[in-house]
Amino acid sequence: MTRPGLFITFEGIDGAGKSSHIEGLAQAFRAQGRTVTLTREPGGTPLAEKLRELLLHDSMDALTESLLVFAARRDHLAQVIEPALARGEVVLCDRFTDATFAYQGAGRGFDTRVLSILERMAQTGLAPDPQLMREPDLTVWFDVPVEVAAGRLASARVPDRFESQPAEFFRRVAQGYAERAAGAPHRFARIDSSLERHQVWQQLTSVFVRKGWLAIMVAAQGGPR
């Protein structure tokens, strides 16, 4: 019998450190015998990756930005996420809809009521249950002070259109994530990502051990190198 799929998303402001732990978690799940689909947003399909390039580098207003994000998400769900979940895979996705509410909603100040309408339109009708609006089974929120994240970005690659935003923008985004987490505490797991890398990994895997999704030994062996 095929095990049910798991849809797990990773969220946080730019520089939170989430991306550096996703591959380690994928390895831990694979070591346990699970098939893993590792993906990201915006992106994950050829069409969505093209939209990602527009979003990261072309100037546009908040509504255009939001429409492109949800267009990419719809294609991503239809082509990658829903088929993987139907096969019983673990889907690990670097950002999903919470990022839209945090960045376009809180960061840009765009109307969250409109975002909720777009969310319903883009995420409904693709699952086996046609009435289901697809949401993650778990969202791991890498919470970090804006100043710490900025220090990490300073030594990274050339910043894109979002990474180059001022600190105040990221404070609004961080608050947006906090509000999303407060509104869905059953779905969110907060990680203090200001700590050392191995401490962040311990926090991360302990969440999955408590849920019974990873064995303690497998989790310990799957950490980032």
Side-chain angles (χ1 to χ4, degrees), residues 50 74 134 212:
K50 292 176 183 176
R74 176 76 179 187
R134 175 61 68 188

Side-chain angles (χ1 to χ4, degrees), residues 68-101:
L68 287 180
V69 166
F70 277 109
R73 182 162 299 132
R74 176 76 179 187
D75 191 61
H76 192 203
L77 280 164
Q79 302 299 326
V80 175
I81 296 174
E82 289 296 346
L85 292 175
R87 294 190 297 267
E89 297 179 12
V90 177
V91 177
L92 304 180
C93 188
D94 189 344
R95 293 210 170 104
F96 195 63
T97 306
D98 295 300
T100 309
F101 280 85

Side-chain angles (χ1 to χ4, degrees), residues 27-204:
Q27 292 174 8
F29 271 111
R30 289 175 184 133
Q32 193 172 275
R34 298 296 299 258
T35 300
V36 177
T37 290
L38 191 59
T39 190
R40 68 176 182 177
E41 288 212 350
T45 70
L47 173 60
E49 290 292 334
K50 292 176 183 176
L51 296 176
R52 177 187 179 89
E53 286 302 305
L54 295 175
L55 285 160
L56 295 186
H57 303 294
D58 290 18
S59 179
M60 62 190 74
D61 69 13
L63 175 57
T64 304
E65 210 170 81
S66 300
L67 290 169
L68 287 180
V69 166
F70 277 109
R73 182 162 299 132
R74 176 76 179 187
D75 191 61
H76 192 203
L77 280 164
Q79 302 299 326
V80 175
I81 296 174
E82 289 296 346
L85 292 175
R87 294 190 297 267
E89 297 179 12
V90 177
V91 177
L92 304 180
C93 188
D94 189 344
R95 293 210 170 104
F96 195 63
T97 306
D98 295 300
T100 309
F101 280 85
Y103 277 79
Q104 281 72 46
R108 298 281 191 223
F110 189 63
D111 191 340
T112 56
R113 294 171 298 178
V114 175
L115 293 180
S116 294
I117 293 170
L118 295 175
E119 177 186 28
R120 176 68 58 180
M121 291 174 64
Q123 295 169 217
T124 302
L126 295 170
D129 176 359
Q131 301 303 312
L132 174 69
M133 185 183 79
R134 175 61 68 188
E135 290 185 298
D137 295 302
L138 176 69
T139 296
V140 183
W141 171 33
F142 287 73
D143 188 19
V144 64
V146 170
E147 294 75 17
V148 173
R152 293 171 178 172
L153 289 175
S155 59
R157 62 190 181 280
V158 176
D160 60 39
R161 190 166 66 92
F162 289 93
E163 292 170 340
S164 60
Q165 292 294 315
E168 186 53 41
F169 173 82
F170 287 108
R171 288 191 182 92
R172 295 195 299 271
V173 172
Q175 182 58 37
Y177 275 125
E179 291 171 359
R180 290 289 284 180
H186 61 287
R187 179 168 63 81
F188 270 78
R190 178 188 173 275
I191 302 294
D192 181 355
S193 63
S194 67
L195 302 177
E196 294 295 326
R197 187 184 178 95
H198 72 279
Q199 294 173 306
V200 175
W201 176 253
Q202 289 170 352
Q203 291 178 82
L204 177 63

